[in-house]
Amino acid sequence: MPPAPPFGTGHRWDPAAYAANAAFVPAMGGPVLDLLAPRPGERILDLGCGDGVLTARIVEAGATAVGVDGSPEMVAAARARGIDAHVVDAQVLPFGPEFDAGFTNAALHWMLDRGGVARGVFAALKPGGRFVGELGGHGNVRAIWAAVHAELAARSHPIREQDAHWYPTVEAFAATYAAAGFTDIEARLIPRPTPLPTGVAGWVATFRSGLMDVERLSADEQASIGAAVERRCEVDLHGPDGWVADYVRLRFSMRKPD
């Protein structure tokens, strides 16, 4: 497989837009934090920390947290919360074995060099260290991405490598991390229909705006695409309670051998 572009290439993360359109992402991260169970005195790496909402909760538990993210804007937002956050390509982590645990929520599926991520996390953990988290799993937001690609094709826009995501099966995920050296790998898929407070158009604006910027699409055309994608999804994703996305999460835990 050719090397993936650096994490964040083709993606634009606007902290304000993320908070407005995708606040459900950290809000639903509680079970993953419970799985991490951070303890006072531990040093924990938050991979893809975003604006630091969940990282702050790790700190509140008494642990020392270091956040990394590919977006300078999101790192700035995390730092504004007092988080020790850094702009880092998570596919080439620079750390040695200094962390007691690694944590990630809704980030790994953006990182196409999954082997590089797995090896970097393994190297960053102390012997016996644990890695827990959640990412998009097999079938995640299938209806939305099908509508996005159909609309782009209808407008003769290309589907580029940056459009790819890694929504793995349990077997593919476990194999990737076992190859990096992890043991005691537990992973499962969790279907999680998720309300979209600003509709599918808001989701598109948040999760595909950077890719449309790469194509040099005007703000008006981006808004038009978002509205058109939303119309394509109406039968499948709109009901009496509003818009609900077809999310599927892959939740996992593993450890580095002693």
Side-chain angles (χ1 to χ4, degrees), residues 12 21 54 58 64 68 70 89 122 150 180 199 206 210 217-218 221 249:
R12 170 168 53 84
N21 299 326
L54 292 178
I58 294 173
T64 297
V68 297
D89 179 359
F122 188 87
T206 299
L217 303 184
S218 69
E221 185 169 7
R249 315 314 283 169

Side-chain angles (χ1 to χ4, degrees), residues 37 48 63 79 90 92 108 127 132 153 168 189 203 217 219 244 256:
R79 288 178 176 172
V92 284
L108 293 186
V132 307
L189 292 176
W203 189 97
L217 303 184
V244 178
K256 180 175 180 174

Side-chain angles (χ1 to χ4, degrees), residues 4-129:
F7 176 48
T9 297
H11 296 282
R12 170 168 53 84
W13 300 107
D14 180 333
Y18 195 89
N21 299 326
F24 59 84
V25 174
M28 293 184 170
V32 191
L33 278 175
D34 292 342
L35 188 61
L36 175 66
R39 296 185 288 270
E42 287 190 315
R43 183 171 171 84
I44 297 175
L45 175 65
D46 186 352
L47 195 66
C49 66
D51 60 5
V53 170
L54 292 178
T55 326
R57 292 177 60 183
I58 294 173
V59 174
E60 289 167 4
T64 297
V66 176
V68 297
D69 201 282
S71 166
E73 294 82 5
M74 294 297 255
V75 166
R79 288 178 176 172
R81 297 180 188 274
I83 301 301
D84 180 13
H86 306 269
V87 179
V88 171
D89 179 359
Q91 299 171 130
V92 284
L93 289 171
F95 305 108
E98 59 185 272
F99 294 96
D100 299 289
F103 171 82
T104 186
N105 183 61
L108 293 186
H109 47 259
W110 298 107
M111 305 172 194
L112 300 186
D113 184 4
R114 51 263 200 184
V117 175
R119 291 187 296 272
V121 175
F122 188 87
L125 293 177
K126 299 175 183 177

Side-chain angles (χ1 to χ4, degrees), residues 144-213:
I144 295 180
W145 280 116
V148 167
H149 291 164
E151 186 60 29
L152 293 177
R155 295 171 185 246
S156 299
H157 293 311
I159 308 300
R160 301 191 184 278
E161 181 185 4
Q162 293 100 320
D163 279 313
H165 310 87
W166 187 45
Y167 296 146
T169 63
V170 166
E171 293 77 14
F173 179 85
T176 297
Y177 281 82
F182 284 98
T183 59
D184 302 326
I185 300 170
E186 297 184 7
R188 62 190 178 104
L189 292 176
I190 304 171
R192 193 191 68 197
T194 300
L196 297 179
T198 57
V200 171
W203 189 97
V204 172
T206 299
F207 293 107
R208 207 187 180 284
S209 58
L211 295 171
M212 290 191 284
D213 288 345

